[in-house]
Amino acid sequence: MPVFTGMNTLIAPLRPWPLRQSAAFLILAAVVWLGLYQMLNPAAEALVAALQVDRTSHLGGALQFFLYDTPKVLMLLTAVVFVMGMVNSYFTPERTRALLAGRTEGVANVMAASLGIVTPFCSCSAVPLFIGFVQAGVPLGVTFSFLISAPMVNEVALTLLFGMFGWKVALLYTGLGLSVAIVAGWIIGRLKMEAYLEDWVRDMPKTSAQFEDRGATLADRVQNGFAAVREIVGRVWPYILGGIALGALIHGYMPADFMASFMRKDVWWSVPLAVLMGVPMYTNAAGVIPIVQALLTKGAALGTVLAFMMSVIALSLPEIVILRKVLKLRLIATFVGVVATGILLVGYVFNAVL
């Protein structure tokens, strides 16, 4: 017995320091993160100068954009994903289903859309989430409110919008994005389209929406944060680099007159065109926001580029293909039509008020 006690004593210190001193780690990490974040712009300018590239040239502008935005977006994304990984330990799929099951429509649509902000679910998890919600008795329209909100108004999109465009744009995007999710889900629920679920989904036996709430320590939350960073950042970083590279090319080389010619406020068809351009693309908020930033610097209207962003995230072709496994074509067409209409309205509203 003393041997085992001694072994446990020797093993205990092997636990990583962030998990042994979680509060101290979080404070130190926040201080270091803020210090590095303040150095990004001077460091990018210094690197461009060290490369002996004219800062005012097309190449200089593109390089400065890429060298500044790449660490900026990755740092913002890592910080937000880590924090939300800690928060999301409270919002597991089981807990989310339990919160929504048995709620009346309207109130449940608002709850579902709001929960979408703090849950890290994306198109790759659409089918298992959808099946789980249906089995738990969550109404169809409420399920759609969640599935629209989760990718479109998530914490990554809001943080990057705040970091690049300020709190007014982030707040307006949040309000209008939630409105699209709530209203679209409510309309789909009112249409009573349960018959257009695939038969095997509709006939699945109902399950309990209860969940077991296991207590978690701060160290457990920190560990969840690290796991979220490995999972989410590890998955999306290629899209981030691709989006920033494309944004840098637009920023450095695309003539402002060309972009303004079809993405101005006074070009009525620019918003529908932006939505149509966004649907076939496959990326996420972290990858598309740098492109949005570059388009704005070239004179594109905010409503038009955000409608493009929403269509990329909420109506991507891969997600539609994935949902085809559980939805019949009529329900998919209704979903796309209702959400696209909401996105068009958002684009026009942004262009009208900003």
Side-chain angles (χ1 to χ4, degrees):
M1 194 68 172
V3 174
F4 288 107
T5 302
M7 290 179 63
N8 290 337
T9 303
L10 291 173
I11 292 173
L14 297 179
R15 195 180 194 197
W17 175 75
L19 302 182
R20 288 185 281 114
Q21 301 290 336
S22 299
F25 164 75
L26 292 174
I27 294 171
L28 179 60
V31 171
V32 172
W33 188 95
L34 289 171
L36 292 174
Y37 191 81
Q38 295 297 320
M39 297 170 56
L40 291 180
N41 193 49
E45 295 288 356
L47 282 172
V48 173
L51 294 171
Q52 298 183 347
V53 176
D54 182 2
R55 177 65 179 81
T56 61
S57 66
H58 293 303
L59 179 59
L63 279 175
Q64 197 281 336
F65 185 98
F66 184 83
L67 293 174
Y68 173 64
D69 271 43
T70 299
K72 176 182 178 180
V73 171
L74 288 174
M75 284 185 66
L76 284 169
L77 182 63
T78 300
V80 173
V81 168
F82 180 83
V83 172
M84 295 310 299
M86 296 176 64
V87 173
N88 286 333
S89 58
Y90 295 99
F91 294 97
T92 62
E94 294 77 15
R95 181 188 289 267
T96 303
R97 288 198 298 266
L99 288 171
L100 297 178
R103 305 281 183 176
T104 58
E105 288 184 312
V107 173
N109 290 108
V110 174
M111 288 184 60
S114 301
L115 284 171
I117 298 176
V118 295
T119 46
F121 307 128
C122 58
S123 58
C124 58
S125 56
V127 168
L129 276 172
F130 191 94
I131 293 172
F133 279 33
V134 170
Q135 282 190 294
V138 177
L140 185 62
V142 176
T143 298
F144 272 109
S145 285
F146 179 83
L147 290 179
I148 295 167
S149 173
M152 187 167 65
V153 198
N154 62 62
E155 71 276 10
V156 174
L158 299 183
T159 302
L160 296 183
L161 283 172
F162 174 79
M164 293 182 177
F165 307 118
W167 67 268
K168 291 182 180 179
V169 171
L171 187 61
L172 187 56
Y173 178 87
T174 302
L176 293 175
L178 286 176
S179 298
V180 169
I182 293 166
V183 174
W186 183 83
I187 291 173
I188 291 173
R190 292 292 87 200
L191 292 175
K192 304 296 184 184
M193 302 192 72
E194 284 77 7
Y196 297 99
L197 294 170
E198 286 292 344
D199 295 340
W200 69 272
V201 176
R202 192 173 60 250
D203 297 337
M204 292 183 73
K206 301 300 180 184
T207 60
S208 172
Q210 295 180 352
F211 69 96
E212 182 180 351
D213 188 9
R214 297 184 178 91
T217 65
L218 181 59
D220 294 330
R221 309 289 184 202
V222 169
Q223 196 163 20
N224 287 338
F226 283 126
V229 170
R230 287 193 298 269
E231 169 65 20
I232 297 175
V233 179
R235 186 175 67 241
V236 305
W237 71 264
Y239 300 104
I240 294 173
L241 293 182
I244 295 174
L246 180 57
L249 290 175
I250 294 171
H251 180 81
Y253 290 94
M254 184 171 289
D257 293 342
F258 171 76
M259 188 57 59
S261 65
F262 66 92
M263 298 192 82
R264 301 192 310 265
K265 289 184 179 182
D266 56 346
V267 181
W268 70 266
W269 45 265
S270 66
V271 177
L273 177 63
V275 174
L276 290 175
M277 290 171 58
V279 171
M281 295 184 65
Y282 180 50
T283 186
N284 44 48
V288 76
I289 287 179
I291 300 174
V292 168
Q293 183 187 20
L295 292 174
L296 289 175
T297 64
K298 292 300 180 179
L302 180 60
T304 304
V305 294
L306 288 184
F308 167 76
M309 171 183 162
M310 282 183 161
S311 65
V312 169
I313 300 172
L315 286 178
S316 67
L317 189 59
E319 181 175 10
I320 294 171
V321 172
I322 291 171
L323 286 175
R324 179 63 185 89
K325 298 177 182 178
V326 293
L327 308 179
K328 294 182 179 178
L329 290 176
R330 184 166 178 176
L331 182 49
I332 289 179
T334 302
F335 163 69
V336 172
V338 171
V339 175
T341 300
I343 292 174
L344 290 173
L345 290 174
V346 168
Y348 286 121
V349 168
F350 262 101
N351 283 346
V353 303
L354 294 176

